[in-house]
Amino acid sequence: MSSVSQYFKGLFQGIGGLLTGMSVTWTELFTKKITQQYPENRKTLVISDRFRGELVMPHDANNEHACTSCGICQMNCPNGTIVIKSKTIETEDGKKKKILDEYYYNLGSCTFCNLCVLTCPSDAIKFDNTFESSVFTRGKLNMKLNQLGSKLREKKKPEPKPVAEKPAAVETAPAAPKPAAAPASVETEKKENITSQDSADSATSDNVTKE
């Protein structure tokens, strides 16, 4: 192959590659944009509920939580992220009870493995989808999850089951009296009379034959 033909072959291959690249560029130029500009879209940004951003302890309107200070989440945390401090109080019944005093969570060492949430028997903690966790000092990553003055939510006692009323007895009409059976002695006498009559008839017939 001559050098001239090789030159034009390479020229056409270069022009073809250029047109292919330009076609991709023009296609993407008119395609709908899906890239989101953060933090300009902070108000409209939607984070999935499955995103694990930060461990939280939900409190209700009465500032009560569900943590019983059992320590299972602390034992299952592989990094020692959770530290629970409990205390013992005396109830109105005179019994001693262990309650939660302080619940510490270190966001800086958390791997978001979710083992603490899965093993919690009271569903007292969960992962929030908060993702803006940047702070200026490392100490601010160590958080206290139980609020000031919060207490354990008392479990509601099960309500007694309603007693089922017994169905009222249905009044039935009295059964009609059955006709009294004939006394057996009468029937026996009838049978004996019939038998004696038959024997008398047979005796009479024998006498007639002899005569």
Side-chain angles (χ1 to χ4, degrees):
M1 184 179 293
S2 63
S3 59
V4 177
S5 60
Q6 290 181 355
Y7 170 75
F8 282 105
K9 183 180 179 181
L11 178 63
F12 289 129
Q13 288 179 349
I15 294 173
L18 178 62
L19 294 176
T20 303
M22 290 301 295
S23 65
V24 174
T25 303
W26 283 102
T27 303
E28 294 297 328
L29 182 62
F30 295 102
T31 304
K32 184 180 179 181
K33 305 297 182 294
I34 58 175
T35 304
Q36 299 187 15
Q37 299 297 325
Y38 177 81
E40 288 79 6
N41 62 343
R42 182 176 294 172
K43 294 182 179 179
T44 59
L45 188 60
V46 179
I47 304 298
S48 172
D49 294 335
R50 299 177 59 187
F51 178 77
R52 301 169 190 168
E54 182 179 319
L55 188 67
V56 295
M57 179 182 292
H59 290 64
D60 58 10
N62 299 323
N63 198 19
E64 295 176 341
H65 55 77
C67 181
T68 59
S69 186
C70 62
I72 294 179
C73 56
Q74 181 179 351
M75 290 185 288
N76 285 281
C77 182
N79 284 0
T81 305
I82 299 173
V83 176
I84 296 177
K85 295 182 179 180
S86 59
K87 61 181 180 181
T88 305
I89 62 170
E90 188 171 349
T91 60
E92 297 177 354
D93 303 335
K95 298 179 180 179
K96 293 184 178 179
K97 182 180 180 181
K98 186 176 72 172
I99 63 171
L100 177 67
D101 187 17
E102 293 175 335
Y103 192 108
Y104 288 104
Y105 163 67
N106 191 350
L107 178 61
S109 59
C110 181
T111 58
F112 311 100
C113 62
N114 205 33
L115 283 176
C116 55
V117 177
L118 294 177
T119 56
C120 179
S122 306
D123 295 331
I125 52 177
K126 68 174 185 178
F127 269 101
D128 199 358
N129 59 358
T130 304
F131 64 96
E132 295 179 328
S133 304
S134 300
V135 292
F136 288 100
T137 58
R138 185 173 295 180
K140 292 184 178 180
L141 295 175
N142 196 11
M143 310 174 187
K144 183 180 177 182
L145 299 189
N146 61 315
Q147 298 177 4
L148 182 64
S150 61
K151 61 180 181 179
L152 176 63
R153 186 184 305 118
E154 297 293 338
K155 293 183 179 179
K156 295 181 179 179
K157 296 182 179 179
E159 297 181 356
K161 296 181 179 179
V163 180
E165 297 181 356
K166 295 182 179 179
V170 179
E171 295 182 357
T172 55
K178 295 182 179 179
S185 58
V186 176
E187 291 184 355
T188 307
E189 289 178 358
K190 286 181 179 178
K191 288 181 181 178
E192 289 178 353
N193 293 334
I194 292 171
T195 307
S196 61
Q197 188 175 358
D198 292 342
S199 59
D201 292 340
S202 58
T204 307
S205 59
D206 293 340
N207 293 332
V208 171
T209 306
K210 288 178 181 180
E211 288 177 357

